[in-house]
Amino acid sequence: MKRQITVADAIFGVGSLLTFLFSFFDFIGAGDFGISAWASGVFPLGTIPAVLGLLGIIVVVLDLTGAAKLPDQVLTLNWRQIRLTWGLTAAVIMLAYLIVDKGSGVNLKFGGWIMLIGSLLMAAGSIMAVLGKGTEMVNLGKPSGPVTPPPPPPAS
């Protein structure tokens, strides 16, 4: 069982988690009214980043736990390249939602803003992985080295 993840993969994974989870919150709306990324008004384009976030979570968890061996390549793309396409696609869609005119008074709501941040993290983590940056391991288990006990209290 694999217990370590690289910094780049952790950033991608956290971004994927944020993008997927907050897609169920208010995505866009006006005033007190808001709809999630799964609502018919923004489906399917608003849902694509959420689905890519879910796929990112699945791949990172499978890689982290070693529960399943993924093929080395899919249609000549390795997993770093696939994650890059997912991260960039999610980020571009969310940036487009940020700048496009959505109608009278309609803006990104809380869920949309967190999805934007998450998709940017997905893109950043995947770009780091492709460029070979953030390759340091983040230890998620017990400390790997010897643990030094605290010094005894002073005698009084």
Side-chain angles (χ1 to χ4, degrees):
M1 176 183 268
K2 189 174 179 182
R3 293 293 299 166
Q4 291 185 332
I5 188 170
T6 66
V7 171
D9 289 342
I11 292 171
F12 177 83
V14 167
S16 297
L17 185 65
L18 290 174
T19 303
F20 177 69
L21 286 181
F22 284 90
S23 69
F24 297 101
F25 287 71
D26 285 345
F27 177 66
I28 61 170
D32 290 337
F33 176 75
I35 58 175
S36 76
W38 300 92
S40 62
V42 292
F43 183 84
L45 196 56
T47 310
I48 291 172
V51 171
L52 294 174
L54 176 61
L55 292 172
I57 293 167
I58 292 169
V59 169
V60 168
V61 168
L62 288 177
D63 189 37
L64 180 63
T65 62
K69 173 73 172 116
L70 298 172
D72 291 337
Q73 290 189 335
V74 178
L75 299 175
T76 72
L77 297 174
N78 64 37
W79 284 101
R80 286 182 180 165
Q81 294 166 329
I82 292 170
R83 290 181 193 185
L84 178 66
T85 61
W86 292 349
L88 290 178
T89 300
V92 166
I93 290 172
M94 290 306 301
L95 286 171
Y97 263 106
L98 176 66
I99 62 174
V100 72
D101 182 18
K102 294 170 276 308
S104 58
V106 176
N107 293 311
L108 281 181
K109 301 291 261 179
F110 177 71
W113 283 106
I114 303 298
M115 284 180 68
L116 173 64
I117 292 167
S119 66
L120 292 174
L121 287 172
M122 286 174 66
S126 61
I127 290 169
M128 288 172 63
V130 166
L131 295 177
K133 305 294 183 191
T135 57
E136 305 84 23
M137 293 295 198
V138 177
N139 191 355
L140 300 175
K142 295 180 181 176
S144 57
V147 177
T148 309
S156 45

